[in-house]
Amino acid sequence: MLLRMSSLFLRTLREDPADAEVPSHKLLVRAGYVRRAAPGIYSWLPLGYLAYRNVERIVREEMDAAGFQEVHFPALLPREPYEATNRWTEYGDNLFRLKDRKGNDMLLGPTHEEMFTLLVKDLYSSYKDLPLAIYQIQLKYRDEARPRAGILRGREFVMKDSYSFDVDDAGLERSYQRHRDAYIKTFDRIGLDYVIVSAMSGAMGGSKSEEFLQPTPVGEDTFVRCTSCDYAANVEAVTTPVPPAQNWDGVPAAHVEDTPDTPTIETLVNVANDKHPRADGRPWTAADTLKNVVVMLVQPDGTREPLCVGLPGDREVDLKRLEAAVSPAEVEPFEAADFAKHPSLVKGYIGPGVLGEKQTSGIRYLLDPRVVPGTAWVTGADEHGKHVFDLVAGRDFDGDGTVEAAEVRAGDACPNCGHEVTIARGIEIGHIFQLGRKYADALDLKVLDENGKLVTVTMGSYGIGVSRAVAAVVEANHDEFGMVWPREVAPADVHVMATGKDEAVFAEADRVCAELEAAGVRVLYDDRRKVSPGVKFKDAELLGMPTIVVVGKGLEQGTIEVKDRRSGERTEVPVAEVVNHLVSVVRG
C-alpha cells in the first residue's frame, strides 16, 4: 500500500476543535482521521478508516482463531422481539424508535441478543447442535443524552458482539472462558493495557460479568484494585465488607435532642459536639451519623417511585452505583414538589422513624450494608431542629433491605482480603457476560437433550467496542505533538518525507517508497512539493506513524534519517541499506 499525501483526502488542523475534551477527540479530528457529522455521529476519513479496519481485522482474526463463526444482522429491527424481552420498554429514551410506512414500530439496534436467540431457535433443535458461538461486527445505535469525547461515546458506533449457546451451565462456563482468552489475545495485539474487573450486567441481564478496562484519567468508568490480592472491580460492582452485628445491651434508649440549624452533616456534628458531647469523651464524627437521602426512581414506563437510602454520614451516595442497583430505573433528584407530596418528610431532618411507617410515608427504605444490627446512630428525628441519638439498628429501626449505593474510596477494605484498595478510571473496551436463560426463556429457545427432554438453552454475551478501541489506542499512545500508533493498528508502517526542492530528493524518495511497497510495507508518502519541511515534520508527528523517514539533506552524505516516533531515536542509514533496514524494523 502506498498513499501519497499530494492526492490523499486529508486536511490537518493546527488548533483543537472547540468541542473536544479528551486527547483522542482532539487528535483524531486535528489529524483528519474523523469528522463530526452530528452530535455523537462521526464520519471516518481515509487514514482513520484504515486504523479502524486494522482494529476490526485483529478482532475478526482472533474470533475466527477461537472457532467462533461470523454472521451479520440488520441494524433496522422489528419491535416484536424486543417487546418479548421487555427491552422495548426497559431501554427507555436510549432507543432510536421509528415507524415504517405501514405504521409498524421499528428500532435501530442497540444490541442484538434477541436476533441471535431467534436465529438459533429457527435453525437448531438438538443438544447435538451445541455448543455454538457466533458473532458479528455491526453498527449499533443508542440515543445518548450527552454524547461526548468524540468516538469514545457516540450515538452510532461499531461493536463486535458474540453469543454462546450451551445446553448447561458447565458448557456456558467453558464458552465464557474461551471468549475471555480470545479477548486477552485481541487486546494484547491491539496494543492496549487493560485491567479485567468484575462488573454489573445492567440492562443486559445475566450473572457473572467482567469488563476489560483501559486505565486512563479520561475514562468514564471508575474501578478499584486491591493493593494485596488480585481483586479488581468496577466501582458499581464493589461489595462492602459487612461488619459483624453488635451487642446493644449497653446502649441507652434512643433520645431526641434539640439540634437547631443542622440541615447538613457538618452542622450536625458541630452542634452535637458542642451541646451533646459523648459520654466516652470521644468527639462525634460524620461516621456516627446516619444520612437519609431521598431520590426519585423513574421506571422505563414512566412510573415514578420515591426511594430513601440510609448510609453513614461520612459517605455520599454514588449515583452510578445506585443506578446499577436499581436498573433499569433511572435516578432523579427529589424535588421540592416531591417533598410537598410527602409532608411527613422533613428536609434535612429525615429519620428512620417515618420511613419505617410505610403506610405514612409510602417510601421504600434501603440501608447501606454497614448499618448492621446493634450499630447506634445519630439521625433525623423527623422534626425541624431535632435529631435522635443512640438510635440502634435492629432495636429501634429496620430497613426494607440493603443497597450498594455509597461512594467507594481509596483506602477502603478489599472485599476479598481486607487490605486497602486503590481507585482509578478507565475506558470500557470489552465486556463479557454469562447471560444465562433470560433471553432463551423470553423467546422460548429450547433443544432436546440426550434424554429427549426439552431444556432451555443457556447463553453468554461478549462485546468489544471496535470503533471505541481506536480512540482508546490514541488515549494510551500520544504525546504533545500528536498520535503514536502501535504498528499493527497504524494506518501505515512508515511515513516517508521528501524535504526540500531538489529533484534528486524526490527521485530518491520515490525509489524508497516503491521498493518498500514491493516488499509489502505500508507507506504514507509526503510528496507535496510546495509544503515546507517544518509543516511536513509537524504533520508527520501529528499523524503518528510508527516510523518516520526523512529523505533530504542527508543525501549529500549518502544517508537517510530514520526516526522512531515513540522513542524519538534517530538513525542515519546509508541510502543503499535503507529499504532493508526499514523492512527489518517493520517486521520486528
Side-chain angles (χ1 to χ4, degrees), residues 392-507:
V392 176
R395 184 191 73 179
D396 304 318
F397 74 96
D398 291 293
D400 299 313
T402 60
V403 64
E404 292 281 6
E407 63 178 338
V408 179
R409 297 175 182 164
D412 282 350
C414 169
N416 275 3
C417 71
H419 284 78
E420 292 186 354
V421 299
T422 60
I423 292 185
R425 299 192 68 82
I427 296 169
E428 181 187 333
I429 51 177
H431 202 163
I432 54 179
F433 311 83
Q434 290 188 5
L435 286 179
R437 297 171 176 81
K438 173 181 177 179
Y439 296 92
D441 277 334
L443 298 169
D444 198 32
L445 172 57
K446 295 180 180 180
V447 296
L448 291 172
D449 67 11
E450 57 188 0
N451 298 315
K453 180 183 176 182
L454 276 176
V455 294
T456 303
V457 171
T458 186
M459 295 171 56
S461 174
Y462 318 90
I464 289 177
V466 181
S467 53
R468 168 178 282 202
V470 177
V473 169
V474 177
E475 290 294 338
N477 297 276
H478 70 273
D479 57 23
E480 66 269 33
F481 304 111
M483 296 177 284
V484 188
W485 290 102
R487 192 170 299 280
E488 194 161 2
V489 178
D493 294 303
V494 175
H495 186 144
V496 177
M497 291 187 293
T499 61
K501 300 178 180 179
D502 192 335
E503 284 298 325
V505 168
F506 283 87

Side-chain angles (χ1 to χ4, degrees), residues 68-69 71 116 119-120 132-136 161-165:
F68 311 144
Q69 302 174 64
V71 298
F116 274 88
L119 181 64
V120 175
L132 172 70
I134 51 181
Y135 76 95
Q136 68 167 343
D161 49 333
S162 51
Y163 299 84
S164 62
F165 300 84

Side-chain angles (χ1 to χ4, degrees), residues 524-543:
L524 175 62
Y525 177 22
D526 195 341
D527 61 339
R528 297 174 293 177
R529 290 179 176 269
K530 294 183 179 181
V531 176
S532 70
V535 170
K536 289 187 176 183
F537 278 113
K538 286 184 177 180
D539 280 346
E541 291 180 320
L542 175 63
L543 296 174

Side-chain angles (χ1 to χ4, degrees), residues 238-244 368-370 372 404 412-419:
V238 173
T239 55
T240 303
V242 180
D368 182 89
R370 299 172 185 84
V372 296
E404 292 281 6
D412 282 350
C414 169
N416 275 3
C417 71
H419 284 78

Side-chain angles (χ1 to χ4, degrees), residues 195-200 209-213 221 234 428 430-431:
V195 179
I196 305 174
V197 305
S198 299
M200 301 284 282
S209 173
E210 292 178 294
E211 287 178 348
F212 287 71
L213 299 180
D221 285 79
N234 187 303
E428 181 187 333
H431 202 163

